[in-house]
């Protein structure tokens, strides 16, 4: 078995970065359409209670995507490193172990979702009406855990097999399917949140089927095998350890949203939770761009790491940092300037909901470009095989929220809940960004006289 493709030798570092980043950003935005389109249809056809319900269900169902991405990023990183080392056997081994992990994790997730979904909604403070709506969403995803996890993993595996355009195309096909089915199931059939869940699951199945076809085709030298032959626990652990920082990022997002839901129910109302859902969709659009930039950076950085080209790693990372900052500041400026138009996508004329969401945008999102840089830092350390640092950043991003969410609402009420995340992000950035700078500087000192050719 041989690799049939590698980065074209005529591309500059910048061109190679954008070769992955543009499809990756597009893929993340398309993936985000699943969540955002659900919110648009639920907001218009079910109302603010539906938005509150889906926002309480989201921290639970989001974990499935996180599990899939953990396996996809972990396995994909090993595939990219193997490609840099020109070792196709190691790449196939990584894919085999990734597929086995998908199957094993799916069984565990199904059991947990079906048996503990209602408990997780109760912990967030969901009342009877909200809980009933949200449970429709959670249990549907529980029974389809295998599809959702596989759909999260397979585009990352395809992208790291040097086929980012195919990965993006599969995600676009799934997203378009989701839009059409959302309209049918929510708008026409009135299936409420269960309709949103079924539409998303069917759309994800489209992506999974397309991915399986890819790995059975001549486009890839790798093949999907669901087998226990030559399976080693330490290889599975390597994938999990590399991808665990990404899972922690998803756990962080789920954890923070769940805590915000609880605090908003304590210091506000269902309407406040509905407004938080809308503000969350606005942040999600940037977060997906930032994650797309980071994941677009990962294949070339991992490749350069495997090929022992440290200066190329630095140049690629600095470019990703610049793009992340510009994107974050630009998006907040648009949100601040035209809030009513954007909020109107999720609201059918509730003035109180609009007013609450505008306040949330101003208080909650002003530092979101720093959150994008923290995501970038996590993926950077994962890309250069420093899973421990990546995991430490992700865990810290979660834990630093706790004191802010506990104390600020006591002093400032609802405004304190809104301000908790940006203020904690500012604090963490003073620790994380110097870590990245120091690591990059250390790499440049390893071979200061080397002039690496662009790939």
């Amino acid at each position: 078995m041989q690799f049939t493709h590698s980065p074209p030798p005529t591309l500059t570092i910048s061109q190679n970065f954008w070769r992955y980043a543009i499809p990756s950003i597009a893929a993340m935005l398309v993936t985000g359409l699943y969540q955002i389109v659900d919110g648009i249809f639920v907001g218009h056809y079910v109302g603010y209670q539906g938005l509150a319900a889906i926002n309480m269900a989201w921290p639970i169902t989001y974990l499935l995507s996180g599990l899939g991405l953990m396996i996809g990023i972990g396995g994909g990183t090993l595939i990219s490193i193997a490609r840099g080392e020109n070792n196709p056997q190691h790449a196939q081994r990584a894919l085999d172990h990734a597929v086995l992990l998908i199957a094993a994790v799916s069984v565990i997730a199904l059991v947990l979702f079906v048996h503990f979904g209602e408990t997780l909604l109760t912990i967030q403070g969901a009342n009877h009406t909200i809980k009933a709506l949200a449970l429709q969403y959670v249990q549907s995803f529980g029974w389809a855990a295998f599809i959702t996890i596989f759909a999260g993993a397979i585009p990352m595996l395809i992208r790291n097999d040097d086929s980012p355009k195919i990965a993006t195309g599969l995600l676009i096909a799934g997203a378009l399917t989701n839009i059409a089915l959302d309209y049918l199931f929510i708008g026409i059939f009135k299936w409420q949140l269960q309709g949103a869940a079924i539409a998303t699951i069917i759309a994800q199945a489209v992506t999974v089927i397309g991915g399986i076809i890819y790995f059975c085709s001549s486009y890839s030298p790798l093949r999907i095998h669901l087998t226990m032959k030559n399976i080693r626990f330490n290889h599975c652990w390597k994938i999990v350890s590399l991808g665990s920082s990404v899972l922690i990022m998803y756990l962080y997002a789920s954890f923070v949203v769940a805590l915000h839901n609880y605090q908003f129910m304590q210091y506000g109302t269902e309407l406040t939770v509905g407004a938080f859902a809308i503000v969350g969709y606005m942040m999600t659009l940037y977060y997906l761009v930032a994650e797309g930039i980071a994941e677009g950076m990962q294949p070339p950085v991992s490749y350069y790491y495997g090929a022992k080209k440290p200066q190329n790693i630095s140049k690629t990372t600095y470019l990703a940092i610049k793009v992340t900052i510009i994107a974050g500041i630009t998006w907040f400026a648009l949100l601040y300037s035209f809030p009513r138009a954007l909020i109107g996508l999720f609201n059918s004329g509730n003035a109180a909901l609009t007013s609450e969401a505008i306040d949330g945008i101003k208080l909650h999102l002003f530092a979101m470009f720093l959150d994008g840089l923290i995501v970038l830092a996590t993926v950077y350390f994962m890309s250069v095989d420093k899973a421990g640092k990546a995991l430490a950043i992700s865990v810290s991003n979660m834990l630093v929220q706790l004191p802010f969410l506990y104390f600020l609402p006591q002093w400032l009420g609802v405004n304190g809940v809104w301000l908790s995340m940006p203020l904690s992000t500012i604090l963490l950035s003073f620790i994380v960004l110097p870590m990245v700078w120091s690591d990059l500087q250390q790499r440049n000192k390893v071979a200061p006289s080397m002039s690496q050719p662009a790939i």
Side-chain angles (χ1 to χ4, degrees):
M1 178 174 61
Q2 295 181 345
F3 287 119
T4 58
H5 35 65
S6 59
T10 58
L11 291 183
T12 65
I13 291 171
S14 176
Q15 288 171 332
N16 196 37
F17 166 76
W18 286 112
R19 175 173 175 259
Y20 284 95
I22 291 175
S24 183
I25 292 168
M28 293 308 301
L29 288 174
V30 167
T31 302
L33 283 177
Y34 285 98
Q35 175 190 349
I36 292 167
V37 169
D38 283 355
I40 290 172
F41 279 97
V42 168
H44 281 279
Y45 288 100
V46 186
Y48 75 86
Q49 287 186 323
L51 284 171
I54 203 169
N55 209 54
M56 289 191 168
W58 181 84
I60 305 169
T61 59
Y62 196 53
L63 294 179
L64 293 177
S65 299
L67 289 167
L69 201 59
M70 173 190 74
I71 297 169
I73 286 286
T77 298
L78 293 180
I79 290 172
S80 282
I81 291 174
R83 289 182 57 252
E85 296 170 341
N86 195 27
N87 193 329
Q89 288 77 23
H90 284 184
Q92 180 62 57
R93 184 179 68 189
L95 180 63
D96 290 343
H97 285 78
V99 172
L100 178 66
L101 277 172
I102 291 169
V105 170
S106 297
V107 174
I108 298 170
L110 187 154
V111 174
L112 293 176
F113 270 57
V114 171
H115 288 283
F116 298 103
E118 185 174 0
T119 301
L120 293 172
L121 292 170
T122 302
I123 291 172
Q124 295 180 68
N127 61 31
H128 179 73
T129 303
I130 300 299
K131 187 189 297 184
L133 286 169
L135 202 56
Q136 297 175 8
Y137 200 76
V138 170
Q139 290 191 337
S140 296
F141 275 99
W143 288 109
F146 177 78
I147 294 174
T148 301
I149 293 173
F150 210 153
I154 202 161
M156 302 301 104
L157 297 170
I158 293 172
R159 190 198 65 192
N160 280 275
D161 192 38
D162 201 36
S163 297
K165 292 181 181 179
I166 292 177
T168 304
L170 291 175
L171 288 169
I172 290 174
L176 293 176
T177 302
N178 185 53
I179 292 171
L181 293 179
D182 265 343
Y183 175 72
L184 180 65
F185 295 159
I186 303 174
I188 304 299
F189 293 168
K190 310 296 182 185
W191 288 355
Q192 297 185 319
L193 268 68
Q194 187 174 37
I198 293 173
T200 299
I201 291 164
I202 294 174
Q204 289 171 338
V206 171
T207 300
V208 170
I209 292 169
I212 293 173
I213 292 172
Y214 166 82
F215 280 116
C216 293
S217 72
S218 60
Y219 286 100
S220 174
L222 307 178
R223 293 291 180 265
I224 286 182
H225 304 124
L226 186 57
T227 176
M228 293 298 295
K229 184 180 179 181
N230 297 322
I231 293 297
R232 299 290 183 271
F233 176 78
N234 62 317
H235 297 328
C236 291
W237 178 247
K238 182 68 171 178
I239 291 173
V240 171
S241 64
L242 280 173
S244 61
S245 57
V246 178
L247 176 61
I248 295 297
M249 285 163 51
Y250 274 66
L251 285 170
Y252 151 73
S254 297
F255 179 71
V256 169
V257 170
L259 278 180
H260 277 76
N261 286 335
Y262 176 81
Q263 292 291 66
F264 277 129
M265 288 297 290
Q266 296 299 309
Y267 292 91
T269 65
E270 293 175 1
L271 186 75
T272 316
V273 178
F276 176 53
I278 294 175
V279 174
Y281 289 130
M282 300 304 168
M283 182 171 180
T284 294
L285 283 172
Y286 169 67
Y287 196 86
L288 291 169
V289 170
E291 196 171 338
I293 294 167
E295 291 179 8
M297 174 193 72
Q298 178 264 312
V301 167
S302 292
Y303 180 90
Y304 295 140
Y305 176 77
K308 296 180 172 54
K309 296 184 176 182
Q311 291 185 3
N312 288 6
I313 292 175
S314 297
K315 291 176 182 178
T316 302
T317 305
Y318 289 140
L319 178 58
I321 289 171
K322 292 176 185 177
V323 176
T324 301
I325 292 173
I326 292 170
I329 293 174
T330 301
W331 181 231
F332 179 72
L334 288 172
L335 289 173
Y336 191 86
S337 302
F338 309 103
R340 294 183 183 276
L342 295 166
I343 292 168
L345 293 172
F346 304 90
N347 183 18
S348 58
N350 188 321
L353 182 62
T354 298
S355 177
E356 190 78 30
I358 289 174
D359 290 341
I361 287 172
K362 294 176 181 178
L363 295 171
H364 197 62
L365 302 185
F366 67 88
M368 63 181 174
F369 76 95
L370 290 175
D371 205 49
L373 291 179
I374 291 172
V375 170
L376 191 73
T378 304
V379 176
Y380 165 76
F381 284 116
M382 180 198 66
S383 302
V384 295
D385 203 17
K386 291 190 174 182
K389 285 188 175 181
L391 183 60
I393 293 171
S394 294
V395 172
S396 298
N397 203 10
M398 184 189 303
L399 296 180
V400 75
Q401 300 273 337
L402 296 178
F404 286 88
L405 272 169
Y406 181 76
F407 289 109
L408 283 183
Q410 296 181 39
W411 302 333
L412 302 174
V414 170
N415 286 347
V417 185
W418 287 119
L419 285 168
S420 297
M421 189 194 74
L423 294 182
S424 64
T425 298
I426 291 171
L427 175 63
L428 185 61
S429 67
F430 281 113
I431 301 171
V432 170
L433 299 184
M435 286 174 58
V436 177
W437 174 262
S438 175
D439 192 83
L440 290 171
Q441 292 302 304
Q442 182 109 23
R443 289 185 187 283
N444 288 333
K445 289 179 182 178
V446 171
S449 63
M450 291 178 65
S451 177
Q452 297 292 351
I455 288 184

